[in-house]
Amino acid sequence: MLRRLLAPALLLAILTACSKAPDAPAPAPVEPAAAAAAAAAAAAAPAADAGAAPAAADAGASTPAPSASVATAAPATVAPAPQVPPAPASPTDPRLGTDYFVLQAPVPLWSTAPKLEIAEVFSYRCIHCAEFQPKVNLWHKRMPADARWEYVPGVFGGTWDNFARAYFAAEVLGVRERTHDDVFHGVFVDKYITEGTPDEIATMYARWGVSKAQFLDTMQSFGVTAKLNRAKQFAVQSGVDGTPTIIINGKYRVNVTPDRGFEGMLSTVEWLLARERAAAAAPGG
């Protein structure tokens, strides 16, 4: 009986997001609940899994959102207050409160560039983000012309911050686009990372022709630290508690769900973009 109850819980853990739990000293395998009642409860409600190490699959429960944001200057562009969409018109429509959430207050857009913003909060240490990336790459080929995709690294402490600094350092040095997929591959396939230290990460980037010394210096620069603080503020204000999470135009938060997976997540993105497009075209929009 216990084995039959545990199977659905473990299946749900595969599809749920990486949580921002503190780093563990070594990779931790997924452990079942101590009692059958706990396993049944886990099967009834999706749980976010926590990454134990950069090269290990993330598993476990989500942690509470940070209690305070970092005091940094917010960008000037702020999306107008969203209108709460009605209930799904059909069973295939995204479900409010499950597939997406309306933010209590609009958050400043990550970029001031025009077009509808799709901001993915992700991490290079998140196995689910690595699995999501190929689908994102394919979706980019059919991304609407009036939309843009932004990456916002998760800043949740420990090695999360080290990888976030690496992302911003690569951006400053002009190598982000060509190394983005390589980092996921290096972490989860090539296993270049065991501890996630800045030196280890810089050594990995050196494999792709980036100066290790310059990369380390850039990771600790004032400019990268400012970007790091802003990314943390963005996630806190958006209520992000796991990765990957997508914020649409500063108004909606989109999560992956066990029953619809990453394809359903992208379908929700398209659905919300259509709503934003229609709202902008309406009188007074």
Side-chain angles (χ1 to χ4, degrees), residues 161-184:
D161 293 12
N162 293 341
F163 279 107
R165 285 184 178 276
Y167 174 85
F168 287 130
E171 185 175 66
V172 170
L173 295 174
V175 298
R176 180 191 63 80
E177 289 189 11
R178 72 175 177 86
T179 60
H180 186 66
D181 289 3
D182 290 338
V183 178
F184 283 126

Side-chain angles (χ1 to χ4, degrees), residues 115-127:
K115 300 186 177 183
L116 299 172
E117 180 173 279
I118 308 162
E120 180 197 350
V121 181
F122 82 104
S123 177
Y124 286 133
R125 59 155 290 163
C126 171
I127 183 67

Side-chain angles (χ1 to χ4, degrees), residues 36-127:
D49 51 312
D58 303 309
S62 294
T63 56
S67 57
S69 62
V70 176
T72 56
T77 304
V78 178
Q83 298 295 320
V84 178
S90 73
T92 59
D93 280 352
R95 301 156 295 184
L96 176 62
T98 300
D99 300 303
Y100 74 99
F101 299 81
V102 179
L103 301 186
Q104 292 184 353
V107 300
L109 300 179
W110 180 251
S111 171
T112 57
K115 300 186 177 183
L116 299 172
E117 180 173 279
I118 308 162
E120 180 197 350
V121 181
F122 82 104
S123 177
Y124 286 133
R125 59 155 290 163
C126 171
I127 183 67

Side-chain angles (χ1 to χ4, degrees), residues 21-276:
D23 296 324
V30 178
E31 297 182 0
D49 51 312
D58 303 309
S62 294
T63 56
S67 57
S69 62
V70 176
T72 56
T77 304
V78 178
Q83 298 295 320
V84 178
S90 73
T92 59
D93 280 352
R95 301 156 295 184
L96 176 62
T98 300
D99 300 303
Y100 74 99
F101 299 81
V102 179
L103 301 186
Q104 292 184 353
V107 300
L109 300 179
W110 180 251
S111 171
T112 57
K115 300 186 177 183
L116 299 172
E117 180 173 279
I118 308 162
E120 180 197 350
V121 181
F122 82 104
S123 177
Y124 286 133
R125 59 155 290 163
C126 171
I127 183 67
H128 301 297
C129 298
E131 294 167 345
F132 186 40
Q133 189 59 48
K135 297 183 182 298
V136 172
N137 292 342
L138 288 174
W139 191 84
H140 281 174
K141 296 179 180 180
R142 58 184 175 88
M143 183 167 60
D146 63 347
R148 55 182 168 77
W149 191 286
E150 304 286 347
Y151 291 104
V152 183
V155 182
F156 305 134
T159 56
W160 292 85
D161 293 12
N162 293 341
F163 279 107
R165 285 184 178 276
Y167 174 85
F168 287 130
E171 185 175 66
V172 170
L173 295 174
V175 298
R176 180 191 63 80
E177 289 189 11
R178 72 175 177 86
T179 60
H180 186 66
D181 289 3
D182 290 338
V183 178
F184 283 126
H185 196 276
V187 172
F188 294 105
V189 179
D190 296 324
K191 308 292 185 182
Y192 292 146
I193 303 298
T194 58
E195 297 179 358
T197 63
D199 186 83
E200 193 175 47
I201 293 171
T203 298
M204 178 176 65
Y205 273 86
R207 293 174 177 270
W208 306 316
V210 181
S211 166
K212 178 179 177 179
Q214 185 181 23
F215 197 83
L216 279 171
D217 288 344
T218 306
M219 283 181 70
Q220 303 303 323
S221 67
F222 176 81
V224 164
T225 298
K227 289 174 179 286
L228 196 80
N229 289 336
R230 185 175 163 229
K232 180 176 182 178
Q233 185 181 50
F234 182 86
V236 170
Q237 291 178 336
S238 303
V240 174
D241 60 5
T243 54
T245 298
I246 294 174
I247 307 300
I248 300 295
N249 229 30
K251 301 177 184 179
Y252 307 100
R253 185 174 67 250
V254 181
N255 299 330
V256 63
T257 58
D259 60 334
R260 297 188 176 181
F262 293 135
E263 294 295 341
M265 191 180 197
L266 291 171
S267 293
T268 300
V269 167
E270 294 175 352
W271 189 82
L272 289 171
L273 288 176
R275 296 196 69 88
E276 283 293 282

